[in-house]
């Protein structure tokens, strides 16, 4: 417990407090200070008895993460560089606060509040989505991704994952509230399963932030056993996003080495058996790379591959990174791709604009500024698929 107070469940606080002869309601009080008010320093917990505060002063109570830099884009996206003050916890990650987008999924059936301020006295909060990281770097090695190129430095602890949201909350503007949390920052969340699962339980705990499980999304490059485990452990309640990026094994393995271990013949059945709640859909993420995976033939193959899966598709134009030769797609190719998938699969297909471009808002780009890429050879880019 004392190793990671911010990553501890209420019942673990109760057990630890029993050992120092403190009552269970005191444990809950401290848990609430941390998780509903972002306060971890016992001295600031004003309604906690002085004798208890003195005992806690000898514990390792400090917030396990700290804000190192905040950059705000013209669209109010806030990109935050996060460091870890504890010794033995090196590295930085990033978390991003994203205000509602004009093209936010209009048919997201989990939205039970109006998006715009309502008339009258009560004004609905502006719903902010926070993107958080799960590891320093990433071991998956996707060739278009800055985190992948850097390699894995270490797993974050549950407390370090939760603390990103607790810190993010302190950066909200008046009238904003965090409504959605997506694990789409640095790292592969399912490669750090235990800490991520603990963080999910804490973020959705009714004595804490109490986020709705359906508003928390785990994005994965496709670790099949852990997708099954997540589905089982949370009964399909946690929203799932799959980074697919290619419609066949040959191409997918070229840009995502993890496909060698879990090819599409294993990944797609895992998506089909994920115990999705009724009316929920899996999000398919597809980063479009110019001349590599962005042609009509790819869109058609994608539709065939995913036939019958309850899904929505997010097309993400690739944000160029220094260490890879590839470029974002041409606008016309993005629109053509969207048309084909929308018409032939009959599902919602969104184009995710890169937000806050001028602040390096793509995955891993702020935390990795100036970092040296690990040396490895890039796969060669294939023929341009029907282009002159
Ligand atoms: N590891 C997880 C979550 C973090 S990456 C995953 O891969 O799903 C979040 C998303 O950003 C993924 O869909 C990833 O493919 C995408 N991404 C990474 N680098 C990108 C880039 N340079 N341009 C556009 N999207 C990128
Ligand atoms: Fe890791 Fe996701 Fe980047 Fe792939 S896209 S290297 S899985 S963070």
């Amino acid at each position: 417990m004392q190793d990671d107070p911010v990553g501890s469940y209420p019942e673990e606080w109760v057990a630890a407090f029993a050992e120092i002869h403190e009552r269970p309601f005191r444990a809950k009080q401290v848990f609430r200070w941390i998780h509903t008010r972002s306060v971890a320093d016992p001295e600031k917990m004003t309604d906690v008895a002085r004798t208890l505060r003195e005992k806690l002063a000898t514990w390792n109570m400090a917030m396990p993460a700290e804000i190192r830099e905040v950059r705000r884009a013209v669209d109010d996206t806030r990109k935050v560089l996060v460091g870890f003050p504890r010794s033995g916890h090196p590295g930085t990650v990033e978390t991003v606060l994203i205000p509602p987008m004009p093209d936010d999924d209009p048919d997201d059936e989990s939205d039970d509040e109006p998006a715009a301020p309502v008339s009258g006295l009560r004004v609905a909060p502006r719903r902010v989505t926070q993107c958080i990281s799960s590891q320093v770097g990433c071991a998956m090695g996707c060739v278009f991704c800055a985190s992948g190129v850097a390699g894995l430095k270490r797993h974050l602890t549950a407390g370090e994952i939760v603390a990103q949201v607790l810190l993010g909350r302190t950066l909200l503007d008046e009238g904003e509230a965090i409504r959605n949390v997506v694990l789409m920052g640095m790292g592969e969340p399912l490669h750090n399963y235990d800490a991520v699962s603990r963080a999910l339980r804490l973020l959705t705990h009714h004595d804490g932030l109490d986020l709705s499980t359906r508003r928390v999304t785990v994005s994965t490059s496709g670790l099949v056993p852990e997708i099954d485990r997540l589905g089982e452990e949370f009964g399909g309640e946690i929203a799932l996003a799959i980074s697919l990026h290619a419609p066949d094994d040959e191409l997918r393995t070229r840009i995502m080495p993890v496909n060698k271990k879990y090819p599409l013949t294993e990944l797609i059945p895992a998506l089909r058996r994920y115990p999705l709640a009724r009316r929920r859909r899996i999000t398919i993420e597809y980063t479009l790379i110019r001349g590599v995976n962005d042609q009509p033939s790819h869109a058609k193959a994608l539709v065939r591959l995913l036939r019958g899966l309850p899904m929505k598709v997010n097309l993400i134009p690739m944000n160029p990174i220094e260490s890879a030769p590839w470029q974002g797609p041409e606008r016309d190719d993005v629109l053509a791709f969207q048309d084909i998938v929308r018409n032939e699969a009959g599902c919602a297909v969104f184009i995710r604009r890169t937000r806050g471009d001028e602040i390096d808002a793509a995955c891993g780009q702020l935390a990795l500024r100036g970092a040296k890429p690990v040396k490895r050879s890039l796969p060669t880019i294939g023929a341009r698929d029907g282009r002159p």
Side-chain angles (χ1 to χ4, degrees):
M1 215 291 312
Q2 289 184 44
D3 285 347
D4 189 12
V6 174
S8 296
Y9 297 134
E11 52 274 24
E12 292 168 334
W13 280 98
V14 169
F17 271 33
E19 282 178 25
I20 56 167
H21 312 292
E22 291 285 351
R23 313 234 305 274
F25 89 92
R26 291 281 177 213
K28 198 160 163 179
Q29 213 178 0
V30 171
F31 183 86
R32 290 185 65 81
W33 269 104
I34 295 172
H35 292 272
T36 68
R37 303 209 223 180
S38 302
V39 170
D41 177 0
E43 272 315 302
K44 298 203 174 113
M45 300 180 183
T46 45
D47 60 356
V48 169
R50 159 146 293 288
T51 49
L52 173 54
R53 276 190 273 155
E54 278 163 9
K55 287 184 203 167
L56 291 179
T58 64
W59 292 15
N60 199 0
M61 287 283 288
M63 197 62 87
E66 64 191 15
I67 296 170
R68 296 266 170 90
E69 186 181 332
V70 182
R71 298 221 226 158
R72 186 186 274 264
V74 283
D75 65 2
D76 285 334
T77 297
R78 274 138 281 173
K79 175 116 177 165
V80 185
L81 185 67
V82 171
F84 307 97
R86 271 190 204 167
S87 68
H89 291 239
T92 52
V93 297
E94 68 204 8
T95 179
V96 188
L97 296 167
I98 309 161
M101 304 179 214
D103 63 347
D104 261 347
D105 188 347
D107 61 353
D108 181 351
E109 63 291 320
S110 63
D111 277 353
D112 45 20
E113 280 177 33
V118 290
S119 57
L121 288 176
R122 278 191 53 217
V123 174
R126 194 155 89 127
R127 296 172 306 189
V128 171
T129 297
Q130 185 172 1
C131 172
I132 60 174
S133 296
S134 55
Q135 299 176 315
V136 180
C138 181
M140 300 299 130
C142 305
V143 296
F144 49 84
C145 171
S147 311
V149 171
L152 178 67
K153 301 287 185 279
R154 70 179 180 93
H155 294 300
L156 295 188
T157 65
E160 288 168 339
I161 298 169
V162 170
Q164 292 170 61
V165 182
L166 302 181
L167 295 174
R169 241 176 7 163
T170 66
L171 298 171
L172 291 175
D173 291 341
E174 179 93 28
E176 285 184 335
I178 292 168
R179 295 299 305 279
N180 297 286
V181 168
V182 296
L183 280 109
M184 288 187 188
M186 199 188 263
E188 166 49 56
L190 295 185
H191 184 212
N192 186 13
Y193 189 91
D194 291 338
V196 164
S197 147
R198 186 174 261 276
L200 295 174
R201 287 185 186 284
L202 286 164
L203 291 170
T204 57
H205 200 286
H206 55 81
D207 288 331
L209 274 174
D210 200 19
L211 290 170
S212 150
T213 41
R214 313 174 150 217
R215 294 183 185 283
V216 180
T217 302
V218 168
S219 173
T220 177
S221 56
L223 306 190
V224 168
E226 286 77 18
I227 292 172
D228 284 338
R229 196 170 158 200
L230 186 77
E232 239 167 73
E233 190 178 336
F234 292 90
E237 280 285 318
I238 296 287
L240 186 64
I242 299 294
S243 294
L244 204 61
H245 310 326
D248 63 75
D249 280 324
E250 197 265 323
L251 180 55
R252 194 166 192 267
T253 300
R254 247 192 318 137
I255 58 176
M256 301 180 71
V258 65
N259 194 67
K260 254 180 270 165
K261 190 157 182 202
Y262 301 115
L264 293 169
T265 43
E266 289 178 35
L267 177 58
I268 303 300
L271 305 188
R272 295 193 193 278
R273 65 178 176 259
Y274 190 75
L276 270 187
R278 231 163 34 94
R279 304 209 343 263
R280 305 281 301 162
R281 292 165 296 167
I282 287 179
T283 302
I284 301 294
E285 293 166 285
Y286 195 103
T287 295
L288 291 161
I289 311 171
R290 187 184 298 192
V292 173
N293 66 354
D294 65 345
Q295 292 304 297
S297 60
H298 299 121
K300 289 187 176 149
L302 185 70
V303 171
R304 281 196 299 277
L305 179 72
L306 298 174
R307 187 150 286 144
L309 185 74
M311 63 171 177
K312 59 182 170 189
V313 176
N314 283 342
L315 301 176
I316 315 160
M318 182 192 164
N319 218 347
I321 57 169
E322 254 171 46
S323 47
W326 293 327
Q327 293 164 40
E330 314 230 28
R331 183 80 194 153
D332 284 354
D333 287 336
V334 179
L335 295 175
F337 201 104
Q338 180 185 37
D339 270 356
I340 292 170
V341 179
R342 190 182 264 160
N343 294 335
E344 297 189 12
C347 66
V349 183
F350 302 95
I351 298 169
R352 286 299 173 209
R353 288 168 302 122
T354 314
R355 309 209 77 208
D357 268 351
E358 77 277 17
I359 51 166
D360 293 333
C363 176
Q365 291 190 354
L366 180 63
L368 291 166
R369 234 180 324 142
K372 265 219 259 68
V374 289
K375 277 213 177 69
R376 59 197 175 82
S377 57
L378 289 170
T380 45
I381 302 175
R384 297 200 66 189
D385 189 26
R387 304 173 120 227

